Amino acid sequence: MAEEIENLHYSEDRDDRVKETAEVFTPSALVQEMLNSLNIDWANPPQDKTFLDPTCGSGNFLVEIAKRGIPIQNVF
């Protein structure tokens, strides 16, 4: 499962996208800090909540949410 999640996150064209579009990717440390600031018990993640990242780029938030135990079908 972890490899499957990592594969969702990987983007071969990431460097080209940054050069061509000035796209900005949220650093992993900031993603973790932001998710930790939510009122969620990550030791017992909710199984009935839906998470959406409408500007997902390479999916840093979505990958981290999935790693934290949110069912993949609830991550968009």
Side-chain angles (χ1 to χ4, degrees), residues 6 9 14 24-37 58-65 67-68:
E6 285 299 323
H9 179 62
R14 181 175 171 154
V24 176
F25 295 92
T26 309
S28 178
L30 182 56
V31 169
Q32 292 180 30
E33 185 177 330
M34 292 173 74
L35 291 176
N36 289 341
S37 73
S58 63
N60 291 349
F61 284 95
L62 303 180
V63 169
E64 185 61 31
I65 287 169
K67 284 180 178 179
R68 290 178 180 222

Side-chain angles (χ1 to χ4, degrees), residues 41-55:
D41 175 9
W42 290 110
N44 298 302
Q47 301 298 299
D48 61 342
K49 301 291 184 193
T50 299
F51 290 82
L52 169 69
D53 183 355
T55 61

Side-chain angles (χ1 to χ4, degrees), residues 4-31:
E4 178 181 310
I5 292 169
E6 285 299 323
N7 288 339
L8 292 174
H9 179 62
Y10 181 72
S11 176
E12 288 184 13
D13 69 338
R14 181 175 171 154
D15 291 340
D16 291 338
R17 288 166 55 189
V18 170
K19 289 176 188 173
E20 291 175 17
T21 66
E23 202 168 347
V24 176
F25 295 92
T26 309
S28 178
L30 182 56
V31 169

